[in-house]
Amino acid sequence: MTAIVVLGSANMDLVVRQPRLPEPGETMFGSAFDTVPGGKGLNQAIAAARAGAEVAFLGAVGRDGFGDALRATLETDGIDVSGLARVDRPTGTAHISVLDGGENSIVVVPDANGVELPLDEAQRAAIREASYLVVQFERPIDLVAEAVAFARANGVTTVVTPAPVMPLPDGFLDDVDILVPNAAEARALAGVDDDADAARALSARVGTVVVTRGSRGAVVARGGEIVAEVPAHPVTPVDTTGAGDTFTGVLVARLSLGDPESTALRAASVAAALAATRAGASPSMPTWHEVAPLL
């Protein structure tokens, strides 16, 4: 039995480091370029695996070199890739500009991630036997909603990172046990201008809401009330790509391993901070041996 099933995207990240974002029509020099395995689903799966959980990944890649590389990356971290489909579309890519201060902007080209692939029986069996299902919105939303509803109906805890924010099917939030948006996503979903108000509003429909706020830490809401605040672990950021995915992956991993919620949240905060001190998404994610001494 696999503790965590992640249904999500797998991209090859094409990363350019640059001093600032260019103006329209402007050409500028960057200081570095790299290709890095990424995608919110792959990132969360790797973060969870490095935090000690057993993980299976349900995704789609092309029949190309990027697809081969992403599959090998997942296997290296001990993740079950029997649910990773190969499709007749190019592997998805994310085009990432990393500014010298560590912030980033990202344009995702879904390609294989966008192919409509309804859940097959093997994938349903994997979800049914798991303790947690983790999803994001870089796969078709109808597929995501199908998986979440199926997991909820089978007693599997559902964890959703609502990125990118988009219109949701009717009743979708009612099937979500743990919602982990960043501050901007939370405000957009709730239609309010304040992070804490967004957390309160969303938690009236979702079991638990954890709003990540970067250097301001995270807030936890349940039943329309803020029930906890999680301080950020202080670091000097180098590249924030994948930090939010690290938070979610580590949070779910430690919950699956029986840690109290407060400990799992602190571990997630520390791991996300460590990830922000290193370049790239999946390569930046710390192991549990790096996180545990800082708790």
Side-chain angles (χ1 to χ4, degrees), residues 231-247:
H233 183 71
V235 295
T236 300
V238 171
D239 179 2
T240 59
T241 307
D245 298 329
T246 301
F247 185 101

Side-chain angles (χ1 to χ4, degrees), residues 250-251 254 259 262-272 288 291 295:
V250 173
L251 171 63
R254 298 315 302 179
D259 285 2
S262 59
T263 303
L265 286 163
R266 177 62 181 156
S269 180
V270 169
W288 183 243
V291 174
L295 298 182

Side-chain angles (χ1 to χ4, degrees), residues 15-211:
V15 184
V16 174
R17 181 166 286 277
Q18 57 198 73
R20 58 176 173 81
L21 295 178
E23 299 295 330
E26 179 186 11
T27 298
M28 67 163 53
F29 287 110
S31 58
F33 171 77
D34 201 3
T35 56
V36 182
K40 297 192 74 63
L42 179 143
N43 292 343
Q44 291 177 348
I46 289 176
R50 291 183 184 172
E54 293 184 4
V55 182
F57 183 71
L58 309 182
V61 295
R63 305 178 192 278
D64 51 30
F66 283 167
D68 294 339
L70 295 180
R71 185 183 184 91
T73 295
L74 290 160
E75 289 178 327
T76 297
D77 276 288
I79 296 166
D80 180 351
V81 295
S82 58
L84 181 63
R86 305 300 290 261
V87 298
D88 294 324
R89 288 282 298 278
T91 297
T93 51
H95 304 256
I96 302 176
S97 298
V98 179
L99 308 188
D100 288 342
E103 294 299 318
N104 64 69
S105 61
I106 305 173
V107 176
V108 175
V109 181
D111 277 323
N113 293 309
V115 174
E116 295 283 352
L117 291 173
L119 294 176
D120 61 29
E121 285 307 310
Q123 293 171 327
R124 287 176 179 270
I127 294 171
R128 190 186 301 114
E129 295 168 4
S131 299
Y132 291 83
L133 172 71
V134 180
V135 301
Q136 330 76 35
F137 294 166
E138 290 183 342
R139 300 289 306 280
I141 191 62
D142 288 344
L143 169 65
V144 172
E146 178 189 3
V148 169
F150 178 79
R152 187 66 178 274
N154 284 274
V156 178
T157 301
T158 58
V159 183
V160 175
T161 298
V165 173
M166 62 181 64
L168 299 178
D170 291 343
F172 179 88
L173 289 178
D174 298 327
D175 286 332
V176 178
D177 293 306
I178 304 173
L179 185 72
V180 192
N182 64 25
E185 292 156 358
R187 294 193 300 267
L189 277 178
V192 300
D193 296 327
D194 179 79
D195 304 346
D197 286 345
R200 293 186 188 96
L202 292 169
S203 72
R205 294 187 62 186
V206 173
T208 299
V209 177
V210 182
V211 178

